Amino acid sequence: MQQVNIAPNPQIAVIFKGWAADWAKEGQGNKKDMATKFHTVYSIAANVFTEGGEVELTFLSALFQDCKQKLEMAEAMNEKVKASLKDDDERAQAIIAKVNNAAQDAAHVVRYLGQLLMPSA
């Protein structure tokens, strides 16, 4: 497996720490559900970007694809929220704000990871 040496990046680490914490709230204890898997991956990513060092290129590529998908799905998610919560505008706006915040974070990560992955493409 090809390794990439990355420098610590506290901004990226904070994003992944936040996502890990969000998924930890959704987990089902010791069950191996999707929430637990996302929590684990984002926790690992947070540690990687906190410490820096050698990282497998496939891991960075998977993070890039995940964040790219988050970004691409944000608008559709917002439309679904609006439709399903049309009678509760306050709640809809709170969820949309959270989705938009995650999309902004994902865009930042996509830009950064894109720069890291470009030399190896």
Side-chain angles (χ1 to χ4, degrees), residues 2-4 57 60 113-121:
Q2 186 177 355
Q3 299 281 315
V4 177
L57 184 62
L60 292 181
L113 291 178
Q115 292 172 353
L116 288 178
L117 294 169
M118 194 170 301
S120 52

Side-chain angles (χ1 to χ4, degrees), residues 4 8 11-13 20 26 31 35 43-45 50 52 54 57 62 70-71 76 78 84 91 94-95 97 112 121:
V4 177
Q11 289 178 319
I12 300 296
E26 301 295 325
K31 293 183 183 176
S43 294
I44 292 168
T50 297
E54 293 286 316
L57 184 62
K70 271 187 193 331
L71 193 53
N78 284 343
S84 66
R91 186 166 174 229
I95 293 171
Y112 181 74

Side-chain angles (χ1 to χ4, degrees), residues 17 81 101 121:
K17 282 179 189 174
V81 168
N101 189 32

Side-chain angles (χ1 to χ4, degrees), residues 8-101:
N9 187 319
Q11 289 178 319
I12 300 296
V14 164
I15 290 170
F16 284 120
K17 282 179 189 174
W19 290 350
D22 286 345
W23 281 107
K25 295 173 195 169
E26 301 295 325
Q28 300 290 320
N30 292 335
K31 293 183 183 176
K32 291 188 177 188
D33 59 1
M34 287 305 290
T36 302
K37 289 177 185 177
F38 277 116
H39 167 60
T40 301
V41 168
Y42 292 148
S43 294
I44 292 168
N47 288 337
V48 163
F49 288 102
T50 297
E51 298 170 11
E54 293 286 316
V55 181
E56 283 189 24
L57 184 62
T58 55
F59 182 68
L60 292 181
S61 182
L63 288 174
F64 176 83
Q65 292 303 323
D66 177 63
C67 291
K68 188 175 169 190
Q69 185 178 21
K70 271 187 193 331
L71 193 53
E72 292 168 351
M73 293 175 59
E75 188 62 35
M77 178 66 84
N78 284 343
E79 292 304 317
K80 287 181 182 180
V81 168
K82 286 178 192 174
S84 66
L85 295 175
K86 60 185 171 208
D87 297 329
D88 189 353
D89 189 56
E90 185 176 329
R91 186 166 174 229
Q93 292 305 317
I95 293 171
I96 288 169
K98 189 171 183 171
V99 169
N100 289 340
N101 189 32

